[in-house]
Amino acid sequence: MNILVTGAAGFVGRNLVENLKNIRDGKNRTRAKITIDNIFEYDIDNTQDDLDRFCSDCDFVFNLAGVNRPKDPAEFKAGNYGFASTLLETLKKHGNKCPVMLSSSLQATLAGRFGTSEYGLSKRDGEELFFRYEKETGAQVYVYRFPNLVGKWVRPNYNSAVGTFCNNIANDLPITVNDPSVELEMLFIDDLIEEMYDAIEGHPHRAEYPGTGEVVNGIEYDGLTPNATEQGRYCYVPVTHKATLGRIVELLHQFHDQPQTLIMPAIPAGSFEKKLYSMYLSYLPKDKVTFDLKMNCDDRGSFTELLKTVDHGQFSVNISKPGITKGQHWHNTKWEFFIVVSGHGLIQERKIGTDEVLEFEVSGDKIRAVHMLPGYTHNIINLSETENLVTVMWANEMFDPQHPDTFREDV
């Protein structure tokens, strides 16, 4: 399969092309049905001859080219309609009836605040052009109306508030939020890419856009929300996220402060928080990619907190010098894992009020986890005379100096 991507140098195009390369080169094997031979990248620097050649040989087209921030509103028509006409006429010239995807926008609904949008009007005209092309040629057309697109490589200070916030907060630059209560619907680029794979495979998610106030199956629609239906005229990405500007900025400040607090907020699989954190990290300047951790050192070695989580405890690393014993304390409800990753040691545990001692010899040569049981005083002994003992430790809760739940007692 040969795939043509127009607007290949843009935000969506760049992400799509790089991910199509992963499939082409066998690095991504999650889509076994897709075989890619060539990826034709078309952008503003290409020529009509390039477009001719690409349209002659392609088996699928992603039309991502468009204009969204012109100096003159007239450029909307040229960029969002004129090029689309050229693309479709070139395909017709070569008798190529391959599937064509169009990147449109929710603004094309002309619903709510988008009712007078020049951009939305140009996108609506482009949609109708593609639907006429589909009727005339019989080629399959996939028209997607995207909400706010976000993710790595979004250009800041351009047309994405989220991209601007990520960039500015990561780089300690000021931001302006006029109304924190404003809610955005966001489509992350990785979810968009997965839907593009579905389109290549011939099973995009389809929908209609009921008008404002229209009731379908007991649900009143706002003109901007897709109603999933297999026979829908439009296509859509089923995974989007909504959040207020205030919540977005709050999270970004938490991410910014993590090197100081060491606290990682809850980031469940597939969550908005998880995806936003990934996006934020893509804007970090070089001097923030690495940060120092506070090592608590004494003549016995060192103890360093690595990471604290809101709901899954904290991680630390302990280094014990040769012959040193550390620990000698117990907890009521706190529990831990000790994982020796280098050196040779002995872990001892004794249930409070008894004399029986549990002993576990541990080594970095055979890594295993040892539970530190609640109600058991415990220690860890470096058995080596020359080598440091390095232990990764996990505790089920963040350390609270006001309620440490830690009581000194020798094993």
Side-chain angles (χ1 to χ4, degrees):
M1 171 182 282
N2 297 328
I3 296 178
L4 167 58
V5 180
T6 72
F11 162 57
V12 178
R14 183 180 171 199
N15 275 277
L16 179 59
V17 166
E18 293 304 323
N19 279 280
L20 291 175
K21 289 177 182 177
N22 286 338
I23 291 182
R24 181 196 64 188
D25 300 340
K27 298 174 183 177
N28 180 352
R29 301 180 183 180
T30 64
R31 296 282 181 155
K33 295 180 181 179
I34 302 176
T35 300
I36 299 174
D37 299 307
N38 297 292
I39 302 167
F40 301 141
E41 301 179 43
Y42 182 90
D43 212 275
I44 193 169
D45 293 330
N46 289 95
T47 66
Q48 179 61 41
D49 287 342
D50 292 331
L51 188 63
D52 255 309
R53 177 164 51 87
F54 295 159
C55 286
S56 172
D57 297 339
C58 64
D59 302 299
F60 195 103
V61 178
F62 288 104
N63 183 36
L64 308 176
V67 174
N68 50 33
R69 288 288 295 272
K71 295 179 180 179
D72 182 346
E75 294 178 38
F76 278 134
K77 189 77 172 179
N80 296 328
Y81 185 91
F83 173 75
S85 299
T86 301
L87 171 67
L88 298 181
E89 288 300 320
T90 307
L91 287 169
K92 284 195 286 186
K93 170 184 172 181
H94 293 283
N96 190 339
K97 299 181 180 180
C98 72
V100 183
M101 171 270 180
L102 171 65
S103 171
S104 187
S105 166
L106 275 184
Q107 293 195 37
T109 62
L110 303 180
R113 67 183 188 279
F114 301 136
T116 58
S117 164
E118 290 288 341
Y119 177 69
L121 288 167
S122 70
K123 283 295 191 182
R124 172 70 73 91
D125 289 344
E127 291 178 356
E128 294 304 321
L129 177 68
F130 273 71
F131 288 131
R132 290 195 297 271
Y133 172 80
E134 181 178 47
K135 186 174 182 179
E136 176 184 348
T137 65
Q140 186 68 65
V141 166
Y142 303 139
V143 175
Y144 282 88
R145 287 176 164 177
F146 294 140
N148 295 285
L149 299 179
V150 295
K152 66 183 184 301
W153 306 339
V154 162
R155 179 179 170 184
N157 303 303
Y158 183 58
N159 66 343
S160 169
V162 182
T164 300
F165 292 161
C166 285
N167 176 76
N168 287 18
I169 291 174
N171 289 277
D172 297 314
L173 299 172
I175 63 169
T176 300
V177 182
N178 294 322
D179 185 353
S181 67
V182 170
E183 185 177 70
L184 294 184
E185 181 180 10
M186 290 157 283
L187 169 56
F188 281 88
I189 189 64
D190 294 340
D191 295 319
L192 187 157
I193 296 299
E194 289 299 321
E195 175 65 22
M196 297 302 94
Y197 295 155
D198 289 343
I200 294 174
E201 292 176 348
H203 54 87
H205 291 83
R206 289 195 170 273
E208 293 289 352
Y209 284 83
T212 303
E214 186 175 342
V215 177
V216 179
N217 297 326
I219 300 174
E220 183 175 340
Y221 282 80
D222 58 3
L224 297 169
T225 303
N227 174 40
T229 172
E230 292 183 2
Q231 303 305 315
R233 190 186 195 202
Y234 299 93
C235 299
Y236 77 109
V237 181
V239 181
T240 62
H241 299 270
K242 292 182 179 181
T244 63
L245 294 178
R247 175 60 175 161
I248 294 168
V249 170
E250 176 189 18
L251 284 168
L252 291 175
H253 280 300
Q254 290 181 27
F255 304 158
H256 173 276
D257 295 343
Q258 193 275 333
Q260 287 75 47
T261 66
L262 299 183
I263 296 176
M264 182 68 63
I267 49 172
S271 67
F272 170 70
E273 291 79 5
K274 181 176 185 291
K275 296 172 186 178
L276 183 65
Y277 208 150
S278 295
M279 179 180 178
Y280 167 79
L281 291 175
S282 71
Y283 291 87
L284 283 183
K286 180 181 178 181
D287 62 352
K288 289 190 178 182
V289 175
T290 179
F291 58 93
D292 294 331
L293 296 169
K294 181 183 177 183
M295 296 180 66
N296 299 289
C297 302
D298 57 27
D299 56 3
R300 302 173 303 158
S302 66
F303 179 81
T304 306
E305 292 180 322
L306 303 178
L307 179 69
K308 303 176 182 180
T309 70
V310 170
D311 53 359
H312 287 87
Q314 74 172 54
F315 297 86
S316 308
V317 62
N318 180 77
I319 300 176
S320 300
K321 293 182 179 180
I324 291 296
T325 298
K326 284 190 175 184
Q328 307 287 39
H329 60 242
W330 62 281
H331 317 289
N332 281 306
T333 56
K334 182 186 297 185
W335 77 88
E336 301 160 301
F337 283 124
F338 285 7
I339 305 169
V340 169
V341 296
S342 180
H344 178 211
L346 179 69
I347 293 173
Q348 296 179 316
E349 302 185 53
R350 176 178 60 81
K351 186 176 182 180
I352 296 300
T354 72
D355 296 327
E356 181 184 4
V357 176
L358 309 179
E359 294 191 337
F360 306 96
E361 192 168 350
V362 287
S363 168
D365 294 332
K366 184 178 181 181
I367 296 176
R368 58 175 175 164
V370 182
H371 286 96
M372 299 300 106
L373 305 173
Y376 281 69
T377 187
H378 49 271
N379 64 25
I380 183 165
I381 305 167
N382 188 346
L383 298 178
S384 172
E385 296 181 357
T386 59
E387 185 180 5
N388 284 342
L389 182 68
V390 182
T391 308
V392 175
M393 298 177 172
W394 173 83
N396 69 313
E397 60 187 38
M398 284 192 287
F399 179 73
D400 180 356
Q402 300 302 315
H403 301 281
D405 189 17
T406 300
F407 310 96
R408 178 75 171 81
E409 184 165 337
D410 289 345
V411 174

